[in-house]
């Protein structure tokens, strides 16, 4: 059973799906805590499942490295085997990443290296591509630049709004995350070193 800490910033629909996959045994993992950089609505999914939550706000003017250290201290106190960024919309300082590397992964709503950053779905829509995708990567010091663990194409359909396209991508993100976590539970960090 992999002990995971999940970090979110928003509605946490992927977190909700991951909690469901842990609860029904689809994924051999347990979420020991959920953290956020603000009072994210998605924290409710953890609270209603009885999972501890923590919030470490990154306010304007706050020293980013000090914030990263505080966040890392809380995450480390949960003794996770794996840290999952699931819609966590802050760039983590290298000091944070290095404390958990390589057991820190991120889900992203594009076929990386296409459309990195915070607006991947909007950027894909604006570019007029006929397909985009979803990826799960290892987090490194860059923005969405880490080794790719799993990815799959998702078509852009006529009439797609950004929300409709994003919802279709998230379905794939959830499948990829489950596949990666199953693989990590079975084979450990050897999976990460192959990439
Ligand atoms: C997901 O699509 C996730 O990949 C994305 O935010 C969404 C969160 O949705 N993350 C990024 O774009 C990170 N660069 P959710 O809050 O409904 O799970």
């Amino acid at each position: 059973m992999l002990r995971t800490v999940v970090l979110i910033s928003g509605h946490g629909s992927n977190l909700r799906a991951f909690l469901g996959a842990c609860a029904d045994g689809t994924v051999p993992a347990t979420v020991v805590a959920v953290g956020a950089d603000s009072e994210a609505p998605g924290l409710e999914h953890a609270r209603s499942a009885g999972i501890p939550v923590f919030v470490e706000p990154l306010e304007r003017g706050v020293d980013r490295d000090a914030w990263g250290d505080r966040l890392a201290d809380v995450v480390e106190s949960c003794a996770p085997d794996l840290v999952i960024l699931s819609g966590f919309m802050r760039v983590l300082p290298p000091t944070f990443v290095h404390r958990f590397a390589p057991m820190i992964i991120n889900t992203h709503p594009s076929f990386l290296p296409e459309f990195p950053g915070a607006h991947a779905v909007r950027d894909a829509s604006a570019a007029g591509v006929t397909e985009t995708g979803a990826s799960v990567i290892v987090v490194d010091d860059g923005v969405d630049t880490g080794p790719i663990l799993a990815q799959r194409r998702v078509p852009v359909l006529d009439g797609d709004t950004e929300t409709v396209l994003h919802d279709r991508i998230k379905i794939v993100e959830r499948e990829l995350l489950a596949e990666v976590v199953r693989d990590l539970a079975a084979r450990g960090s050897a999976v990460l070193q192959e990439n």
Side-chain angles (χ1 to χ4, degrees):
M1 221 24 127
L2 271 188
R3 289 172 63 85
T4 67
V5 169
V6 181
L7 299 182
I8 64 167
S9 294
H11 288 278
S13 67
N14 285 358
L15 164 68
R16 186 180 53 203
F18 187 69
L19 290 172
C22 292
D24 69 17
T26 310
V27 167
T30 175
V31 178
V32 293
V34 174
D37 57 312
S38 68
E39 257 306 323
L43 290 173
E44 262 332 291
H45 302 309
R47 288 193 179 106
S48 60
I51 294 167
V53 305
F54 56 89
V55 176
E56 195 58 59
L58 178 59
E59 274 138 13
R60 197 178 284 272
V62 165
D63 178 87
R64 181 173 278 274
D65 287 344
W67 166 77
D69 290 344
R70 280 197 301 278
L71 186 63
D73 287 344
V74 183
V75 172
E76 198 170 83
S77 73
C78 304
D81 302 309
L82 177 69
V83 179
I84 302 173
L85 310 187
S86 181
F88 189 68
M89 302 308 282
R90 301 288 189 178
V91 178
L92 289 163
T95 46
F96 182 103
V97 174
H98 296 168
R99 275 171 75 171
F100 302 101
M103 293 297 274
I104 171 167
I105 63 175
N106 180 37
T107 70
H108 186 76
S110 80
F111 199 85
L112 289 168
E114 300 167 7
F115 309 114
H119 306 291
V121 181
R122 187 188 309 168
D123 293 346
S125 298
V129 292
T130 55
E131 55 178 14
T132 177
S135 305
V136 177
I137 63 170
V138 182
V139 177
D140 68 4
D141 291 351
V143 176
D144 302 323
T145 50
I148 293 164
L149 297 172
Q151 60 183 172
R152 198 168 299 150
R153 285 289 183 188
V154 175
V156 180
L157 304 179
D158 285 348
D160 268 354
T161 62
E162 189 181 323
T163 305
V164 167
L165 176 58
H166 201 165
D167 285 347
R168 190 178 318 115
I169 293 170
K170 285 184 189 180
I171 292 168
V172 177
E173 281 186 67
R174 292 165 196 157
E175 292 169 0
L176 294 177
L177 179 62
E179 286 167 20
V180 166
V181 174
R182 271 197 294 272
D183 210 13
L184 282 169
R187 301 198 292 129
S189 60
V191 174
L192 306 178
Q193 277 137 26
E194 283 163 15
N195 287 275

